Amino acid sequence: MQTQSGKQISEVISKLRSMDEQWEAYVLGIKKDPPEEMYMQMGQLFQILREELKKREPDQVEEELRETQASEELVQKLMEETGKTLRFYMHLAPLRKLENRDKTALKGLLTAIYQKYIVRLERGYLRQLHLEECTNEELYEIARYMDSMTDFYVSRGYTRQGIIQDLQDETGLSMDACGYWADLIEQNYMLLKLNYIVEELEDIKKKLKTE
């Protein structure tokens, strides 16, 4: 029996085929500039695959793609490109596990990352934290990802609600946890903005020195 997600994937691919039998060439980069309606359908397909990969094993999603008679080259391309968009989600799995175990502990960890790694740096502080969900090395990686996302929100002037929506999509954390992070950003928004500008200026200086 076809699953609901398999039905969605099949329906979108059927629509794409009805638009152009050679639609795969656009995804594979052989043909450029797909018509707007086709481009929208391709975006919908990627979004469905993205949500499915958050919930299920890749081989299950691959099999549903193959059932649509998609070429093996297309299946691999879709899986590869969709997987790239889930880099943050996959690496932040320990945060989701921690939230399931102890929501208060998650907020405590987010506060520590924010105060001791992002707003100001206290070297070695995170190494003092011990979590059953991840190693110290993985914790530092989580901190780097949270720092990267925070830079992204601040540099583009995201609103509080915009941060919450994007953070939920990128991390899979609850609205409450994402709202907590958004509030932390709001508390020191101008300082974070200044830090970002200084970092960008330092990068420019380094590039000029190497030219």
Side-chain angles (χ1 to χ4, degrees):
M1 180 181 293
Q2 190 179 41
T3 65
Q4 181 60 34
S5 63
K7 183 178 179 182
Q8 289 180 310
I9 291 170
S10 180
E11 287 176 349
V12 174
I13 288 180
S14 291
K15 287 180 182 178
L16 286 165
R17 283 202 181 103
S18 69
M19 295 175 189
D20 187 339
E21 282 291 332
Q22 305 299 316
W23 74 275
E24 290 191 10
Y26 288 106
V27 180
L28 296 173
I30 299 169
K31 295 173 70 174
K32 307 293 184 183
D33 302 322
E36 184 175 354
E37 188 177 359
M38 180 179 291
Y39 181 80
M40 296 295 289
Q41 286 296 320
M42 287 164 59
Q44 185 177 350
L45 177 59
F46 274 109
Q47 189 58 36
I48 292 171
L49 294 175
R50 193 172 189 273
E51 292 306 312
E52 287 307 306
L53 284 171
K54 288 180 179 180
K55 299 178 290 188
R56 300 192 294 141
E57 292 299 318
D59 59 347
Q60 295 176 309
V61 180
E62 279 189 35
E63 186 56 35
E64 290 187 341
L65 278 170
R66 291 191 180 97
E67 289 175 359
T68 68
Q69 306 305 310
S71 69
E72 187 60 26
E73 186 180 7
L74 179 69
V75 171
Q76 295 307 314
K77 180 70 171 181
L78 288 171
M79 294 298 294
E80 179 183 348
E81 294 302 316
T82 307
K84 288 178 182 177
T85 72
L86 292 170
R87 182 166 52 97
F88 286 94
Y89 189 87
M90 298 304 181
H91 284 283
L92 296 177
L95 293 185
R96 296 192 293 278
K97 293 177 182 177
L98 179 57
E99 183 172 32
N100 288 334
R101 178 170 67 83
D102 189 335
K103 291 180 173 59
T104 301
L106 172 66
K107 288 185 177 180
L109 176 61
L110 292 177
T111 300
I113 291 173
Y114 183 77
Q115 293 180 346
K116 305 294 186 177
Y117 188 87
I118 295 178
V119 176
R120 302 288 294 274
L121 178 62
E122 186 172 326
R123 294 187 183 281
Y125 182 85
L126 295 183
R127 297 195 184 282
Q128 301 172 35
L129 305 181
H130 300 286
L131 299 172
E132 63 184 61
E133 287 79 11
C134 63
T135 64
N136 279 130
E137 184 178 339
E138 290 169 333
L139 179 55
Y140 268 94
E141 187 174 64
I142 287 169
R144 286 191 290 271
Y145 277 115
M146 295 302 292
D147 188 22
S148 176
M149 283 192 289
T150 299
D151 276 350
F152 177 81
Y153 299 143
V154 171
S155 67
R156 287 161 178 76
Y158 269 50
T159 64
R160 179 181 184 277
Q161 192 57 39
I163 292 171
I164 292 172
Q165 290 176 350
D166 189 76
L167 200 57
Q168 275 193 290
D169 183 50
E170 292 289 350
T171 68
L173 294 172
S174 68
M175 182 176 289
D176 181 55
C178 294
Y180 184 74
W181 190 262
D183 288 338
L184 289 174
I185 291 176
E186 291 290 320
Q187 289 172 18
N188 290 286
Y189 184 81
M190 292 311 297
L191 176 59
L192 291 169
K193 190 83 168 180
L194 180 60
N195 285 348
Y196 175 77
I197 292 171
V198 170
E199 288 173 3
E200 288 296 295
L201 289 174
E202 286 297 322
D203 286 342
I204 292 172
K205 284 170 62 178
K206 289 177 183 177
K207 289 176 182 177
L208 289 174
K209 286 181 179 180
T210 58
E211 290 180 354

